[in-house]
Amino acid sequence: MCKMKVIVIGSGKGGVGKSTISVSLALLFKMLGWKVGLIDADIYGPSLRGMLTPEIFPKEENGFLIPACSKGIQVVSAAYFSKFEKGAPVRAPLINGIIEQFVYGIKWDERDLLLIDLPPGTGDIHLSLLQKLSVDGAIGVTMPQKISVLDVEKSLYLFQSMNVSLLGIIENMSYYQDPLTGERHKIFGEGGGRALAEKFQTKLLGKVPIDPLLLESLDAGEGAKFSLSRDELLKIAVEISNQLCDHESGKKIVEVKKIDHQTFAVEWSKKRSVHKFSKVQESCPCVLCAEKDRPSDPNVSAMSIELVGNYAVKFEFTSGCSRGIYTWQNFQEF
Ligand code: ADP
């Protein structure tokens, strides 16, 4: 098995089956031999607990959270905390604290795959997670109809802008196949998944049919049981497994190294470019610098350099500014 991978699953909107797909894939990946962790990042409306009844409940140990466990999948969800179980109004600072806990405060058993079920929308939670984690790939889930596609597009643009490579699109509830006649009924229209895959130049990983057993088993908290959807979901899990293990899933591994007081290098694969801290700080995008119209200081240096997700770098400048986030686009060659 390859090193621990992180995949985010997003759809931009609720009700398209993102959590259903997340739980299904978690169980199928486990069947394929992966040790799987699953995070329900929908803090406003967590649903995974209801779908996967835990055999082992989460607990706190030395300031760390030990995840719940259901059917061999380790699960983290705000729904395990009574305050959130029934849906609570949560202010942004609290959300950020919870996300920090999810990223830094979980004591996982040895895992080789972490699936993150993102909430609807493209807000704070998405940004925080994609900034704090090094994500190996994203999956977009859509339904076939146009209105669903439009919302999913927003998530895909967000992934692109944060340099998270798209593993592909899953079209969910593509059709219902009559078990007696074999006839396929396209209840929610058709073509959305293919159109999205073409627009974002990625794969249509599969078209998952409406599966009453899947719905019933998840409603009963029994995890995912498959009948009509089994073959397609398994095909998708195998395809993603192969993508994850065969290559680095397109992720750009970028390193930023200080050379001397005034200069640093940005390195990616066999490319390397050298830059001056002063030049970079001149274009600091943070509000404070923009307001002050800070004059250029040729001697400015960086006290620390920190990568932000897959897509950017943050400097703590000796001038006191440490707020600007510089995406790779700032360094031309990238
Ligand atoms: P989301 O996470 O996008 O809000 P859910 O996963 O909660 O959506 O799914 C919404 C509803 O649709 C749930 O009742 C779920 O069981 C059902 N559902 C999702 N995908 C399928 C499917 N392929 N077949 C049958 N029911 C499905």
Side-chain angles (χ1 to χ4, degrees):
M1 201 55 68
C2 30
K3 82 170 181 41
M4 159 123 152
K5 304 284 185 184
V6 180
I7 299 182
V8 290
I9 301 175
S11 67
K13 70 180 289 181
V16 300
K18 191 173 38 58
S19 301
T20 303
I21 297 290
S22 302
V23 173
S24 301
L25 288 181
L27 292 164
L28 290 167
F29 277 123
K30 183 180 165 257
M31 223 176 83
L32 295 173
W34 293 78
K35 296 190 187 93
V36 185
L38 180 59
I39 292 184
D40 179 359
D42 191 351
I43 292 160
Y44 296 104
S47 56
L48 289 193
R49 181 186 176 176
M51 295 180 171
L52 269 173
T53 306
E55 291 109 35
I56 301 172
F57 279 83
K59 59 178 182 188
E60 205 220 300
E61 205 175 84
N62 302 326
F64 282 90
L65 184 75
I66 312 288
C69 193
S70 178
K71 303 188 180 305
I73 311 290
Q74 285 198 295
V75 188
V76 170
S77 169
Y80 293 115
F81 309 103
S82 56
K83 181 167 179 192
F84 300 101
E85 196 181 0
K86 297 188 183 87
V90 192
R91 284 193 185 274
L94 185 55
I95 289 282
N96 289 334
I98 296 169
I99 293 297
E100 293 255 324
Q101 173 88 29
F102 282 7
V103 174
Y104 305 113
I106 308 287
K107 203 165 174 193
W108 298 98
D109 287 346
E110 192 199 336
R111 299 286 95 182
D112 28 49
L113 180 64
L114 181 60
L115 296 177
I116 303 181
D117 179 10
L118 292 172
T122 47
D124 249 6
I125 297 178
H126 305 75
L127 286 172
S128 298
L129 281 170
L130 296 176
Q131 286 181 347
K132 291 179 201 310
L133 285 167
S134 176
V135 174
D136 292 272
I139 298 170
V141 180
T142 187
M143 282 175 66
Q145 70 269 39
K146 260 201 196 116
I147 195 77
S148 169
V149 168
L150 291 176
D151 281 311
V152 182
E153 274 186 4
K154 291 178 199 151
S155 299
L156 303 187
Y157 282 124
L158 178 75
F159 296 144
Q160 272 189 340
S161 71
M162 298 183 85
N163 199 25
V164 174
S165 65
L166 262 179
L167 300 175
I169 306 293
I170 298 175
E171 188 184 90
N172 189 29
M173 299 193 254
S174 295
Y175 57 90
Y176 175 71
Q177 183 157 15
D178 188 320
L180 296 176
T181 63
E183 202 184 333
R184 291 184 176 189
H185 302 279
K186 292 171 181 162
I187 295 169
F188 299 110
E190 62 181 315
R194 164 98 29 227
L196 262 185
E198 280 169 8
K199 183 162 184 179
F200 287 84
Q201 296 180 346
T202 186
K203 280 192 172 178
L204 176 59
L205 293 165
K207 293 176 168 193
V208 181
I210 294 171
D211 182 346
L213 182 61
L214 183 57
L215 188 152
E216 281 160 26
S217 55
L218 290 170
D219 256 9
E222 296 166 353
K225 292 185 182 166
F226 314 102
S227 59
L228 302 174
S229 60
R230 166 178 284 274
D231 291 353
E232 194 66 4
L233 281 165
L234 189 57
K235 185 193 88 180
I236 293 169
V238 170
E239 161 68 32
I240 299 168
S241 286
N242 291 341
Q243 279 199 46
L244 288 176
C245 284
D246 283 354
H247 53 85
E248 270 295 329
S249 62
K251 186 165 96 177
K252 288 181 185 173
I253 311 280
V254 183
E255 281 192 85
V256 181
K257 293 178 183 161
K258 189 169 177 176
I259 300 174
D260 55 34
H261 184 76
Q262 291 180 336
T263 54
F264 66 96
V266 182
E267 295 176 355
W268 167 53
S269 192
K270 292 192 176 91
K271 290 185 190 166
R272 183 172 194 265
S273 60
V274 174
H275 308 267
K276 284 192 136 196
F277 291 114
S278 57
K279 202 81 201 132
V280 171
Q281 206 208 339
E282 269 176 27
S283 60
C284 178
C286 88
V287 184
L288 284 181
C289 286
E291 268 176 8
K292 280 187 187 155
D293 206 8
R294 196 187 288 273
S296 171
D297 170 4
N299 283 321
V300 77
S301 185
M303 293 188 286
S304 70
I305 298 174
E306 188 192 331
L307 295 187
V308 182
N310 291 350
Y311 74 106
V313 61
K314 201 168 153 186
F315 300 100
E316 189 185 351
F317 289 114
T318 47
S319 60
C321 168
S322 60
R323 289 160 191 265
I325 290 179
Y326 299 87
T327 62
W328 303 139
Q329 280 78 21
N330 282 281
F331 308 108
Q332 295 298 314
E333 293 86 337
F334 298 87

